[in-house]
Amino acid sequence: DEDGKFIQESCYAMDITEEWNWQNTLIKSNAEKTVLIKEVHHRVKNNLQTITSLISLEERFKTDPAKILDITKTRINALALIHETIYNEFDMNYISIKDFFSSFDDKLKLLSSHPDIVFNEDIEDLTLYIDTATPLVLMINELTTNSFKHAFEKEDENKEIYKSLKSYEENGVKMCKFHYKDNGKGLPEDIDSIGSLGWIIVKSLITQVDGKYEIFNDNGFNFVLTFPYIENIEEEL
């Protein structure tokens, strides 16, 4: 009033909870997209470096340029399918491996010089950590390419490639067992002394999944790999 005494005050209040939540959602979404772009860049860069390294190895082994081109196509197709699959996943750190293998087999059939090969598989519905799935898929690509080249003769009948992937527990640790088999002519007795580039690549990929392997002949070539099954990357870190 005129004497400077307080009489009353009036104020206006507005509920901004919805707007506040929306702004926080946008901030979070933008941060996630930034992380996603960096992750995509990181994976693409690593995979391109992998392809470059493999081409360099092929050159050191004096592989015919036409053959280098053919095998490089299969490796790029394998990596491209991995990228295509993980970008459709809810969590880009993991891949549903059972669905992936069906698509992978279809692509491999297109590249085979033996269109009558039958692909059979028994894949458990597992979700693999992407840094495990990538070397595993490249490994299968090398094994399959080797079967295409060396396991079968064109006149052979009932040509088959079989793959299985199962989980199990060993000493309280969850593990995976992968079995690859073709019913071709098999390998020489001194299997583990093979010095081919394909086998060098396979052994390098085995170390990337911290795996152990055995190879043997039993109605064709057999490759068995066991490796740790990472269910939660955060637990591992």
Side-chain angles (χ1 to χ4, degrees), residues 47-195:
N47 286 335
L48 288 174
Q49 287 175 340
T50 298
I51 293 296
T52 301
S53 298
L54 292 174
I55 291 174
S56 297
L57 275 173
E58 297 280 6
E59 290 176 335
R60 285 172 55 190
F61 273 69
K62 303 187 186 305
T63 308
D64 179 70
K67 291 182 179 179
I68 293 178
L69 183 60
D70 286 341
I71 189 62
T72 299
K73 285 179 183 178
T74 69
R75 291 164 180 158
I76 291 174
N77 278 327
L79 292 174
L81 185 58
I82 290 175
H83 280 274
E84 179 183 332
T85 304
I86 63 174
Y87 298 151
N88 290 325
E89 297 282 343
F90 178 75
D91 186 342
M92 282 186 58
N93 284 317
Y94 297 89
I95 184 172
S96 299
I97 203 68
K98 184 173 184 177
D99 294 337
F100 174 85
F101 270 120
S102 296
S103 300
F104 190 42
D105 284 349
D106 290 340
K107 287 188 177 293
L108 287 173
K109 287 177 185 178
L110 296 174
L111 300 169
S112 172
S113 58
H114 300 274
D116 52 341
I117 291 178
V118 176
F119 285 79
N120 291 317
E121 59 185 37
D122 182 14
I123 308 296
E124 186 178 338
D125 192 10
L126 297 172
T127 303
L128 291 185
Y129 178 45
I130 189 62
D131 284 353
T132 299
T134 299
L136 177 64
V137 169
L138 287 174
M139 199 183 308
I140 296 168
N141 185 73
E142 297 299 321
L143 293 169
T144 307
T145 301
N146 186 72
S147 293
F148 289 167
K149 289 180 179 178
H150 306 295
F152 307 108
E153 301 294 342
K154 288 191 176 181
E155 61 272 14
D156 289 345
E157 297 182 355
N158 303 318
K159 291 175 275 194
E160 179 182 342
I161 290 176
Y162 168 82
K163 298 189 292 288
S164 74
L165 181 65
K166 301 288 183 180
S167 64
Y168 67 100
E169 195 165 297
E170 182 179 272
N171 299 323
V173 178
K174 195 164 185 180
M175 303 285 291
C176 282
K177 181 178 181 179
F178 171 71
H179 184 191
Y180 176 93
K181 171 181 171 57
D182 68 47
N183 64 344
K185 58 187 177 184
L187 291 175
E189 291 301 320
D190 57 341
I191 295 176
D192 209 24
S193 66
I194 298 171

